[in-house]
């Protein structure tokens, strides 16, 4: 039982009753609450009146990216809270009630405790406590959090008015973008122009989160009243970028240019781009989403994972591995040659001391030879923590053979990390500890993976044109 609840409650009620701004109060309560229950982060959210989504009004310990992930769908995300229940999620990266598990993983969030905020018996918001290590909360912690929720209930009622009136009508200050965001799964908005709908589809195709007209920026004031506003068409939270689309009509472009210039002067921290169709295709290419040029590689049917998507996933895996091996010095073992790109990127993102070793094995041929090791490890792994890094696990036969060999050297521990998992084709079931992407039964190349020794140098992972693969070829034993 912690003995700090009373001083914390005293502090929180004092802040709640202070003359600070609404957001500062909420952030401060989030901080105090986190520390009191020994959590790592906290988020206080307000439920919209239709009980569809949650808007963050105060937070502590969460990165900007996490906070900009957009409002949470109230029904999808921990729905029991809507029934006034306390919810505990032991593993946020795996629980399907967590709406952005990849974000939770990237933040290193392990468990989440959700507390409803009730006003006169009705749920109007929630408090979430996040921890990096799996944490059990005591009944006393929960009772403390319910008291904080009661204080928040009074605040949030006021807060709703604040958000509606103060921010939009008279304030010339920055409005936090998340305040005005639409729920991510809201019905598709009525787009003002077909080009906007097309752009939204393109973003969906590349799984880029977007918000349509999420925020209006006052540009001119007359006697403290807003006389002119500018509402960019899109906001892309992942890239922290506002996008205004233009048609090719010169008169409109000139007018929009003027507005965008003015916006940048008034709000220098805002990242905004004015785009026509050609521009936005090139913009996506720059961020690695658009397969411009990529699909032009002869023999490639389509791009499965762009370079950017791979990099993002590798960083998430590296973060998990760094956390799991904290205080240790693992040996990373790769099998040549397919793993080279993945190994190179993965190890650069590990915040651990590591050593590196490689093995090579003979390829399958139809001449009756059995598999053999053509290059063994350079150093002994006995008593070491070994992380076996693979490009792809297909039937599991290669991995099974290599694991037997490695286990015979009696390492202290042996785990497996693979970038791709073609689970549908598995013959030997081996538990995988870290998986980048699970893929369907298609032959992929690029980012180290080859077909007949080629395509390894592509920066993305693409699906090989099926016609290229001769029917009777045993393609899964090529590298
Ligand atoms: P397994 O023994 O069937 O699990 O096959 C593993 C090895 O086959 C991998 O290390 C790859 O070298 C190769 N492989 C399997 N599927 C593919 C693929 O789709 N593209 C390229 N190589 C593959």
């Amino acid at each position: 039982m912690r003995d700090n609840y009373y001083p914390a409650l005293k502090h929180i009620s004092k802040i709640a009753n202070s003359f600070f701004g609404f957001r500062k109060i909420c952030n401060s309560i989030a901080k105090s609450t986190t520390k009191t229950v020994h959590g790592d982060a906290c988020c206080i959210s307000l439920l919209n009146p239709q009980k569809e989504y949650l808007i963050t009004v105060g937070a502590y310990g969460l990165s900007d990216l996490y906070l900009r992930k957009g409002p949470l769908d109230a029904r999808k995300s921990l729905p029991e809270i809507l029934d006034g229940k306390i919810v505990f999620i032991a593993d946020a990266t795996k629980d399907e009630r967590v709406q952005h598990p990849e974000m939770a993983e990237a933040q290193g969030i392990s468990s989440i405790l959700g507390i409803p905020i009730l006003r006169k018996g009705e749920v109007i918001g929630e408090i979430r406590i996040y921890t990096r290590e799996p944490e059990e909360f005591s009944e006393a912690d929960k009772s403390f959090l319910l008291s904080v929720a009661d204080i928040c209930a009074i605040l949030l009622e006021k807060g709703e008015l604040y958000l509606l009136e103060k921010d939009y009508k008279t304030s010339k200050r920055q409005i936090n973008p998340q305040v005005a965001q639409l729920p991510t799964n809201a019905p598709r908005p009525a787009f003002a122009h077909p080009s906007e709908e097309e752009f939204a589809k393109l973003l969906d195709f590349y799984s880029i989160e977007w918000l349509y007209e999420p925020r209006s920026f006052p540009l001119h004031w007359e006697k403290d009243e807003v006389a002119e506003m500018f509402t960019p068409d899109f906001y892309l939270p992942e890239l922290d970028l506002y996008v205004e689309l233009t048609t090719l009509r010169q008169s409109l472009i000139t007018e929009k240019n003027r507005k965008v210039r003015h916006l940048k002067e008034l709000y220098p921290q805002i990242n905004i781009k004015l785009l026509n169709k050609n521009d936005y295709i090139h913009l996506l290419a720059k961020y690695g989403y658009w397969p411009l040029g990529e699909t032009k590689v002869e023999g490639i049917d389509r791009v499965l994972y762009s370079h950017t998507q791979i990099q993002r996933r590798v960083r998430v895996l590296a973060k998990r591995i760094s956390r799991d091996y904290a205080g240790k010095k693992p040996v990373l073992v790769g099998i040549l040659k397919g793993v080279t790109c993945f190994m190179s990127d993965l190890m650069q993102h590990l915040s651990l001391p590591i050593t590196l070793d490689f093995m090579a094995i003979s390829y399958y041929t139809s001449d009756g030879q059995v598999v053999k090791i053509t290059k063994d490890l350079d150093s002994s792994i006995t008593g070491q923590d070994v992380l076996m890094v693979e490009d792809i696990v297909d039937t599991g036969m290669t991995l099974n053979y290599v694991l037997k060999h490695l286990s015979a050297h009696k390492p202290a521990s042996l785990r497996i990390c693979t970038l791709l998992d073609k689970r549908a084709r598995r013959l030997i079931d081996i538990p995988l500890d870290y998986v980048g992407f699970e893929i369907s039964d298609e032959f992929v190349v690029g980012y180290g993976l080859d077909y007949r020794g080629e395509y390894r140098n592509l920066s993305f992972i693409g699906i090989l044109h099926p016609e290229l693969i001769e029917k009777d070829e045993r393609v899964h034993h090529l590298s």
Side-chain angles (χ1 to χ4, degrees):
M1 166 114 171
R2 312 193 210 284
D3 55 5
N4 52 351
Y5 300 123
Y6 174 65
L9 275 178
K10 194 171 159 194
H11 177 67
I12 288 169
S13 36
K14 219 178 185 73
I15 299 168
N17 204 18
S18 71
F19 51 80
F20 291 138
F22 174 67
R23 279 187 185 282
K24 192 162 180 193
I25 291 177
C26 292
N27 287 339
S28 193
I29 292 178
K31 181 172 176 183
S32 213
T33 307
T34 312
K35 303 225 155 180
T36 309
V37 297
H38 296 192
D40 291 300
C42 173
C43 179
I44 302 173
S45 311
L46 174 68
L47 194 60
N48 77 321
Q50 288 74 35
K51 301 200 185 321
E52 294 159 334
Y53 57 94
L54 291 152
I55 302 165
T56 304
V57 290
Y60 171 74
L62 294 166
S63 76
D64 266 12
L65 185 64
Y66 191 81
L67 291 171
R68 279 199 307 259
K69 67 190 183 305
L72 290 171
D73 182 323
R75 288 191 188 86
K76 265 202 201 158
S77 186
L78 316 195
E80 298 98 318
I81 297 187
L82 285 191
D83 302 329
K85 292 187 187 131
I86 295 178
V87 179
F88 179 64
I89 304 277
D91 186 349
T93 59
K94 297 212 176 76
D95 199 298
E96 59 190 22
R97 289 170 294 178
V98 177
Q99 218 183 322
H100 298 280
E102 70 297 341
M103 286 276 199
E105 197 168 354
Q107 290 280 308
I109 288 169
S110 179
S111 47
I112 304 178
L113 179 70
I115 306 281
I117 299 175
L118 296 151
R119 180 84 180 133
K120 296 176 186 153
E122 201 187 325
V123 181
I124 59 160
E126 62 177 68
I127 303 176
R128 286 186 187 196
I129 300 289
Y130 303 88
T131 65
R132 295 211 166 82
E133 298 300 323
E135 170 97 19
E136 286 292 324
F137 291 93
S138 65
E139 286 310 308
D141 279 340
K142 289 178 192 163
S143 151
F144 163 75
L145 289 165
L146 285 169
S147 300
V148 176
D150 282 337
I151 297 173
C152 289
I154 303 162
L155 260 178
L156 290 190
E157 201 170 48
K158 271 202 306 187
E160 211 170 338
L161 289 174
Y162 169 93
L163 294 176
L164 288 174
E165 290 168 15
K166 193 150 190 218
D167 268 354
Y168 293 114
K169 279 199 186 150
T170 53
S171 171
K172 292 182 190 179
R173 278 174 294 127
Q174 271 294 117
I175 304 166
N176 187 330
Q178 49 192 317
V179 171
Q181 285 171 354
L182 288 163
T184 39
N185 78 330
R188 205 159 259 275
F191 291 103
H193 194 273
S195 68
E196 294 170 355
E197 183 154 17
E198 198 187 323
F199 186 60
K201 281 187 190 154
L202 186 70
L203 295 171
D204 283 345
F205 180 72
Y206 289 105
S207 310
I208 304 174
E209 241 185 89
W210 55 268
L211 298 159
Y212 182 62
E213 298 191 336
R215 175 176 170 188
S216 295
F217 295 86
L219 289 186
H220 284 292
W221 291 262
E222 273 165 22
K223 294 196 199 107
D224 223 25
E225 283 292 310
V226 177
E228 188 187 12
M229 300 267 255
F230 179 51
T231 309
D233 295 324
F234 288 89
Y235 176 63
L236 316 183
E238 233 172 274
L239 310 176
D240 188 17
L241 179 69
Y242 285 89
V243 172
E244 175 68 10
L245 300 183
T246 64
T247 57
L248 292 175
R249 278 197 19 228
Q250 195 50 51
S251 58
L252 284 177
I253 296 178
T254 313
E255 173 61 9
K256 284 193 174 174
N257 262 324
R258 179 192 70 77
K259 284 192 172 183
V260 167
R261 252 200 327 271
H262 198 85
L263 182 88
K264 283 181 177 167
E265 279 161 20
L266 283 172
Y267 307 89
Q269 65 277 53
I270 291 293
N271 200 3
I272 180 163
K273 284 203 191 304
L274 187 62
L275 299 178
N276 63 36
K277 188 168 176 173
N278 280 345
D279 285 341
Y280 72 66
I281 286 172
H282 283 104
L283 175 89
L284 290 183
K286 191 176 131 211
Y287 285 110
Y289 288 103
W290 186 255
L292 261 191
E294 293 186 344
T295 43
K296 290 193 191 122
V297 176
E298 208 178 317
I300 303 296
D301 201 29
R302 66 186 168 87
V303 176
L304 188 61
Y305 293 108
S306 70
H307 184 67
T308 311
Q309 286 171 309
I310 299 170
Q311 293 304 315
R312 206 179 299 138
R313 188 65 193 147
V314 170
R315 278 199 295 275
V316 170
L317 291 178
K319 201 159 183 174
R320 269 184 59 195
I321 294 168
S322 303
R323 189 183 63 195
D324 294 353
Y325 283 88
K328 296 184 174 160
K329 186 180 173 183
V331 188
L332 270 48
V333 173
I335 304 184
L336 293 170
K337 304 173 188 164
V339 80
T340 45
C341 293
F342 179 41
M343 181 71 100
S344 161
D345 285 339
L346 182 74
M347 67 181 186
Q348 289 177 63
H349 290 295
L350 292 177
S351 51
L352 290 167
I354 59 132
T355 55
L356 185 63
D357 217 332
F358 288 101
M359 289 174 65
I361 55 173
S362 58
Y363 312 146
Y364 171 81
T365 50
S366 48
D367 58 7
Q369 297 283 318
V370 291
V371 58
K372 60 173 189 279
I373 292 167
T374 54
K375 186 213 166 293
D376 206 343
L377 297 173
D378 293 331
S379 311
S380 160
I381 53 160
T382 308
Q384 306 259 29
D385 293 299
V386 174
L387 179 64
M388 166 88 213
V389 182
E390 266 279 45
D391 48 357
I392 182 165
V393 181
D394 185 5
T395 63
M397 291 199 279
T398 309
L399 191 57
N400 184 51
Y401 175 76
V402 174
L403 284 181
K404 269 194 209 150
H405 176 76
L406 295 179
S407 311
H409 288 87
K410 305 227 172 325
S413 68
L414 181 53
R415 289 191 193 167
I416 302 152
C417 171
T418 182
L419 179 64
L420 303 175
D421 178 8
K422 232 192 247 182
R423 188 153 301 182
R425 281 179 40 104
R426 195 77 90 257
L427 294 179
I428 305 175
D429 201 19
I430 299 163
L432 305 174
D433 301 279
Y434 307 95
V435 175
F437 305 101
E438 191 177 324
I439 63 167
S440 56
D441 182 11
E442 272 160 314
F443 197 81
V444 291
V445 289
Y447 195 64
L449 291 154
D450 74 314
Y451 177 65
R452 295 177 180 257
E454 281 186 45
Y455 301 103
R456 289 195 200 277
N457 57 329
L458 300 180
S459 63
F460 60 94
I461 295 173
I463 295 182
L464 198 65
H465 208 294
E467 279 168 23
L468 262 181
I469 307 169
E470 285 126 34
K471 280 205 182 90
D472 58 351
E473 175 121 31
R474 302 286 300 271
V475 287
H476 61 280
H477 277 282
L478 285 168
S479 80

